[in-house]
Amino acid sequence: MTGTSTRTAPAYDPDAEGAGNGKEIGTESEGRPAHLGIEIRSLSNMINRYLGVTMPEDARNATGGNARIIMFLAKNQTRNIFQYDIEERFSITRSTASRVLSLMEKKGLIERHAVERDARLRKIVLTKAALDIADSLRANAMRMEDMLFEGFQQEDRDNLSRYFARMRSNLLSTGLVGSNCPGAPNPEGRDTQGTTGDSGESEDEKKGTNR
């Protein structure tokens, strides 16, 4: 199985790609520090590729977008999650969410169940197959993280977490990103006519829903 193989992180090699010619990794050719945002994005892309090539066999039925939705639902099993929650969390349109969820339903990854307070509302529930996939993906992510932090002290990891939190806070403080920024998905105002979408809930019904 692809996702169960163990890998040992290589020791830092000053002659490796990105560190050649006596320059440190993360520096530009003139010796000035590279833009940290670019380095973070590059690392994020590498992590995504690594998780892709080490994806467990039992999770390959879930495409990248499916996997993210599965993990979101798995983390929120104690809440009622509806289609508009998916739209808001992943910043996608109603039509895209409807199409993706319908395909996941056909794959046997999710089911839509009526809720007691209103039979027209349909909460999204993971199937046993999807819960197994979530467990496999979580285990693979933990293996990846262990490899990623090979050689790090716990203090290094704690500091890094604090730095990321500060960077997120700085970006949010601009008001240009985040759920409250202009242009962010607004599940309460998508359909001013109050029509019912594929998820089975109208906008008026959504307004009375506790999230």
Side-chain angles (χ1 to χ4, degrees):
M1 184 180 297
T2 305
T4 58
S5 61
T6 57
R7 302 189 181 191
T8 302
Y12 171 67
D13 182 359
D15 296 320
E17 180 181 356
N21 301 321
K23 299 182 181 66
E24 296 181 2
I25 291 179
T27 61
E28 295 178 344
S29 57
E30 308 94 299
R32 291 184 287 108
H35 293 295
L36 184 58
I38 295 176
E39 295 297 324
I40 293 174
R41 184 171 183 177
S42 175
L43 179 59
S44 176
N45 289 338
M46 291 178 67
I47 289 173
N48 286 334
R49 286 196 296 271
Y50 181 88
L51 290 174
V53 298
T54 60
M55 180 178 286
E57 289 296 333
D58 62 348
R60 294 191 179 275
N61 185 38
T63 62
N66 290 173
R68 288 189 287 272
I69 292 175
I70 287 173
M71 296 308 296
F72 172 69
L73 292 170
K75 291 176 183 178
N76 291 278
Q77 292 184 72
T78 59
R79 295 175 50 203
N80 285 340
I81 301 295
F82 303 96
Q83 178 176 313
Y84 60 79
D85 292 306
I86 302 297
E87 296 166 18
E88 184 178 45
R89 172 62 179 81
F90 296 99
S91 298
I92 56 178
T93 63
R94 173 181 291 182
S95 60
T96 297
S98 177
R99 176 174 52 81
V100 170
L101 293 174
S102 293
L103 288 173
M104 291 181 69
E105 199 168 10
K106 290 179 181 178
K107 290 179 181 180
L109 298 175
I110 63 169
E111 296 175 348
R112 305 197 212 202
H113 296 172
V115 295
E116 292 182 1
R117 67 177 180 275
D118 192 334
R120 293 171 296 179
L121 290 172
R122 294 289 186 272
K123 64 180 179 180
I124 303 168
V125 179
L126 292 175
T127 62
K128 174 63 165 59
L131 287 170
D132 290 342
I133 288 174
D135 288 340
S136 295
L137 291 174
R138 191 177 295 110
N140 191 42
M142 291 178 66
R143 288 190 294 270
M144 182 277 300
E145 188 160 313
D146 288 341
M147 180 277 300
L148 190 65
F149 285 103
E150 180 73 26
F152 281 64
Q153 299 297 321
Q154 185 60 46
E155 182 180 2
D156 298 329
R157 300 179 64 162
D158 293 341
N159 286 335
L160 186 59
S161 294
R162 285 194 291 270
Y163 296 152
F164 282 146
R166 286 169 60 184
M167 285 186 276
R168 282 194 298 270
S169 178
N170 289 341
L171 284 172
L172 289 170
S173 69
T174 67
L176 300 176
V177 294
S179 59
N180 295 323
C181 70
N186 179 8
E188 307 298 346
R190 288 195 186 92
D191 188 350
T192 57
Q193 302 301 315
T195 56
T196 301
D198 292 329
S199 60
E201 68 272 16
S202 71
E203 295 300 318
D204 291 337
E205 293 160 354
K206 292 176 183 180
K207 291 178 182 178
T209 303
N210 293 324
R211 302 189 185 179

